[in-house]
Amino acid sequence: MEDMLKFLTARIEEDRRHTIGVHDGSAVLDSHLRMLDAIERLAGDLRGPDPWDSLVHGLLHALRVLAQTYSVHPDYREEEWHP
């Protein structure tokens, strides 16, 4: 799980840099950055709760779905992270 969170964090940072460079000042920038912030909050929520809490299972599934959007990246682990 920790590896997937690190993977997502790295992809989010890459997306932020790319979005700012390509769409500087546009509405696309604002909406995309808000989506990246939301993913980061979900990842942060997963790091804190008790591993037996039912919330963890929902968060983990949501993050696996989001990580799947980066499945073409060479560091994506299809067998381990596919929802």
Side-chain angles (χ1 to χ4, degrees):
M1 176 175 64
E2 189 64 32
D3 288 342
M4 184 179 63
L5 294 175
K6 288 178 184 177
F7 172 81
L8 274 170
T9 300
R11 302 299 70 77
I12 289 167
E13 288 306 313
E14 286 174 0
D15 277 357
R16 277 196 180 112
R17 286 191 302 273
H18 177 74
T19 301
I20 289 169
V22 172
H23 302 291
D24 194 21
S26 75
V28 173
L29 170 68
D30 292 338
S31 64
H32 191 73
L33 290 177
R34 282 194 299 271
M35 190 250 337
L36 294 174
D37 289 343
I39 296 169
E40 223 169 21
R41 279 193 302 277
L42 284 173
D45 289 347
L46 188 58
R47 285 190 172 104
D50 176 349
W52 297 106
D53 184 342
S54 62
L55 175 66
V56 170
H57 299 289
L59 285 172
L60 187 55
H61 177 72
L63 289 170
R64 284 182 173 152
V65 169
L66 293 167
Q68 189 177 21
T69 64
Y70 298 104
S71 63
V72 297
H73 192 279
D75 294 337
Y76 180 77
R77 298 179 190 174
E78 176 73 26
E79 292 180 21
E80 187 177 340
W81 298 339
H82 185 78

